[in-house]
Amino acid sequence: VAPRPAALPAPTTTAEPIPAATPAPVEPPATGPVDVLGAVLAVVAERTGYPVEMIEPGLDLEADLSVDSIKRAEIAGELASRLGLPVDGGADLDRLSTARTAASLAALLTEGLGGPEPEREPEPESPASSRPAVEPVVEAPRRLEFTERELPGTTGTLPPGTTVHLVGGGELAATLTARLGAAGATVQAAPADIVVHLDALATGEGAEPPLPDAFPLFQTLLSHAPRRLLAVERAEGPATGLRGLFRTIAREYPELHASLLRVGTETTEPLADLILAELAATDREPVVLADGGRRRALTLTPTDLGPLAATGAGPAGDGAAEAAAIGLDHDAVLLLAGGARGITARVARAVATAGRCRIELLGRTPVPAATEDPATAGAADRSALRAAFLAAGHGSPAAIERAVSATLAEREVRATLAELRALGSPVRYHSVDILDAEAVRATVKDIHAEHGRIDGVVHAAGVIEDKLIAEKSPESFRRVFATKVDGARTLLDAVDTLPSGPRFAVLFGSIAAALGNRGQSDYAAANDALEELGRRWSAPGRRGLTVHWGPWAAAETNGGMVTPELMRSYAARGIRLIDPEEGPLSLLRELAWGAPDTHAVVYTASGW
């Protein structure tokens, strides 16, 4: 699947989802056990369009059948209703939706049936389906910035007999061990009451950030169920992404007091004293700043761009005033990495409409042919394409899903290129993996040689592989983290080799970094790390900006936007969505009227 730029947070289901129309219930036999696996295969077949005999119990529902976590939750809710299982609409469905195969889902349902339950008559209708669907609210995004809020000093002490596990730290760990002992605590190996992670304190040339390598360590530390987890890093250190990680830990482990202590350059207190004092804190802030004898938290605060922005693009404008202020006229060159789909495509269209500048698009989707194969051209959507490939005997469901996804991606690229040209913008598309540093450098060099300039770059590449921390594989964490962070670093390094580089670089982040999000530890951490990369790239005359987007409503494409299933889930939870027409205009206003020293901002229609 091509990467989805600025992919939107897909939270694990904590509210009962609204399923699609429910087919007639499958009646269990009058006697004997219910065929749970058969019921699972039947519902999956109904939802995907594949014959039951093609759906093997061990197929990965997401990778092989394109059944994401929201669709799995809907399937789980429907099956629970058909089988007569009581579910609370939250934790039960959350657990069922983690199943990645039909076999594992059947096992969870069988466990829930327990004892005589198979003989119980199924309920006639799902509670979820009996509720009217809630229409999503779509609106222009609000602008927010992180501001600092003073926290009280810490006056408490550690309870006598507290056990503490120290991770890393070198000489600091030895000093801290002595201070903890004097306070009546005992330093020992895990498990312990408190875990203090000191490995992120390294600074200077060659200092390596802890993530993604340290993710398995954090998994292990969390598995020991401490009551307190404190990590310490220096504010001037490398881009770590630990803020996003700890905001997510706080959401996934609500009973755990987890926080990241960021120590600033003006701190004069001994570091061991700061850490010891912070361990006694009772305010459960996921990120605490310590500098100059003060403790502060970060709070998202609504801000505006002043009167110029209010009279620019506005709700009914086309962004022309902003494009002129940015310098994106018909001679300018804008490079967008993240494909020609979804949010990237929407931004490209807004720029083409406003300034008709030259646009260069980078994405992993192969360069599409001029026209689509007639055999699939008449299939309007995923379901129709699936049926067409199925009728043609295209192979296994996994092979068909790959073919369907590739066809849809090529359609989106082809349509985007055609629309941009129709709007008056010369455009080229380059099939490049953003993680291939050599290919990225060569492409950037070619673009600069072609036009003699690159005025701005946008990094919107990203992938989503949502899973709770306890269930996340290190390989998956690394893949999600690298696409965002290494991809951004590769692109910024490439434009820095040019004789005349761009005036701005926009890195598309996610509100998951700013607020944390269950199931998105990797995505939250990666997007948080973008902020420091953008800040360090900034210099007089050029601005590095990270925009943390909230969820966007689906337009004609869904790359990086909200799927219909997720839109229903968000609507049921009262989460508003960014209008896809207003989102790009917000970006143009930010680039035109935002302060050059503002390096991170949140644009969202809603919080979680």
Side-chain angles (χ1 to χ4, degrees):
V1 179
R4 297 188 289 175
L8 304 177
T12 49
T13 305
T14 55
E16 189 171 1
I18 303 173
T22 305
V26 176
E27 296 289 343
T31 59
V34 173
D35 180 5
V36 178
L37 179 58
V40 171
L41 295 175
V43 172
V44 172
E46 292 168 7
R47 291 302 182 97
T48 62
Y50 290 110
V52 171
E53 58 270 17
M54 288 188 70
I55 303 175
E56 299 176 3
L59 277 179
D60 188 303
L61 293 174
E62 184 160 4
D64 297 332
L65 295 172
S66 301
V67 179
D68 61 21
S69 60
I70 299 298
K71 293 177 184 176
R72 292 200 301 275
E74 294 182 353
I75 289 173
E78 182 174 327
L79 282 162
S81 174
R82 292 190 185 193
L83 297 171
L85 278 172
V87 294
D88 65 10
D92 289 343
L93 284 180
D94 196 5
R95 179 165 174 259
L96 291 172
S97 66
T98 64
R100 293 298 295 258
T101 66
S104 59
L105 179 54
L108 289 174
L109 289 166
T110 301
E111 179 184 325
L113 285 168
E117 291 293 341
E119 299 183 13
R120 185 174 58 190
E121 287 296 319
E123 297 177 9
E125 184 179 26
S126 166
S129 63
S130 65
R131 292 203 310 260
V134 180
E135 289 297 318
V137 177
V138 179
E139 59 188 34
R142 295 174 295 144
R143 182 183 189 273
L144 303 99
E145 289 187 61
F146 271 116
T147 58
E148 295 184 1
R149 171 170 53 86
E150 292 290 332
L151 293 173
T154 58
T155 57
T157 58
L158 294 177
T162 299
T163 57
V164 182
H165 174 46
L166 300 180
V167 179
E171 292 183 6
L172 173 62
T175 303
L176 192 55
T177 297
R179 296 299 311 279
L180 287 166
T186 301
V187 175
Q188 66 179 46
D193 300 321
I194 296 175
V195 175
V196 182
H197 182 277
L198 303 171
D199 274 346
L201 283 167
T203 58
E205 191 69 27
E208 289 292 330
L211 296 176
D213 291 346
F215 176 69
L217 172 61
F218 280 108
Q219 282 182 307
T220 300
L221 297 175
L222 290 167
S223 71
H224 292 306
R227 62 177 175 81
R228 180 79 163 93
L229 172 62
L230 176 70
V232 189
E233 72 172 0
R234 297 188 186 277
E236 72 274 17
T240 67
L242 286 176
R243 291 176 303 184
L245 176 65
F246 269 76
R247 288 166 181 149
T248 297
I249 290 174
R251 288 182 175 269
E252 291 193 21
Y253 297 84
E255 301 303 317
L256 170 66
H257 182 180
S259 54
L260 172 69
L261 179 65
R262 287 174 57 84
V263 182
T265 55
E266 297 180 10
T267 295
T268 57
E269 299 170 80
L271 195 49
D273 290 349
L274 279 175
I275 295 171
L276 192 61
E278 194 60 37
L279 289 176
T282 56
D283 43 46
R284 298 168 68 90
E285 292 290 340
V287 179
V288 176
L289 311 179
D291 202 344
R294 302 160 56 211
R295 297 177 68 245
R296 287 104 62 217
L298 293 171
T299 301
L300 279 179
T301 304
T303 56
D304 61 46
L305 292 170
L308 278 176
T311 58
D318 62 1
E322 282 69 22
I326 301 166
L328 292 179
D329 56 21
H330 67 279
D331 290 324
V333 179
L334 180 64
L335 187 160
L336 298 101
R341 309 166 58 201
I343 292 177
T344 315
R346 298 300 304 186
V347 171
R349 291 167 190 163
V351 171
T353 300
R356 291 171 174 77
C357 70
R358 292 172 286 190
I359 295 174
E360 302 281 344
L361 296 164
L362 276 62
R364 285 197 306 177
T365 300
V367 177
T371 58
E372 186 175 336
D373 186 335
T376 60
D381 54 20
R382 177 173 287 274
S383 295
L385 278 170
R386 185 182 285 145
F389 283 120
L390 186 62
H394 207 70
S396 67
I400 291 174
E401 290 302 312
R402 286 194 296 271
V404 169
S405 295
T407 301
L408 290 173
E410 290 181 4
R411 278 184 185 177
E412 291 180 45
V413 173
R414 191 183 295 111
T416 297
L417 298 178
E419 185 170 358
L420 293 177
R421 289 170 182 139
L423 289 169
S425 279
V427 58
R428 291 193 302 176
Y429 176 77
H430 310 263
S431 181
V432 178
D433 184 345
I434 195 65
L435 296 180
D436 186 337
E438 184 176 346
V440 171
R441 282 195 301 270
T443 303
V444 167
K445 183 178 179 180
D446 170 69
I447 293 170
H448 192 273
E450 173 74 16
H451 304 296
R453 60 194 287 184
I454 294 179
D455 296 87
V457 298
V458 176
H459 170 64
V463 293
I464 284 182
E465 299 179 15
D466 293 351
K467 220 169 189 48
L468 296 175
I469 291 171
E471 301 165 358
K472 186 80 181 173
S473 75
E475 295 76 20
S476 177
F477 189 101
R478 181 180 298 277
R479 190 160 47 245
V480 172
F481 193 89
T483 303
K484 276 287 180 184
V485 181
D486 294 351
R489 187 180 289 112
T490 296
L491 183 59
L492 294 179
D493 287 349
V495 297
D496 277 348
T497 65
L498 300 176
S500 57
R503 299 189 303 275
F504 65 85
V506 180
L507 310 178
F508 277 11
S510 166
I511 195 173
L515 299 180
N517 194 21
R518 295 187 76 235
Q520 289 198 311
S521 59
D522 46 8
Y523 202 64
N527 286 293
D528 174 55
L530 292 183
E531 288 189 29
E532 189 60 30
L533 292 179
R535 182 178 289 106
R536 294 189 179 201
W537 184 83
S538 298
R542 70 183 197 184
R543 182 186 183 191
L545 172 68
T546 298
V547 179
H548 292 306
W549 294 109
W552 289 49
E556 67 278 4
T557 62
N558 288 324
M561 297 183 180
V562 175
T563 63
E565 293 83 8
L566 191 50
M567 283 184 73
R568 291 198 296 271
S569 176
Y570 279 144
R573 296 166 57 199
I575 296 175
R576 299 181 297 278
L577 306 174
I578 294 175
D579 184 331
E581 297 293 334
E582 290 295 326
L585 295 178
S586 297
L587 178 61
L588 291 177
R589 284 193 290 269
E590 181 66 40
L591 290 172
W593 319 125
D597 59 352
T598 297
H599 302 299
V601 66
V602 173
Y603 276 95
T604 186
S606 179
W608 289 137

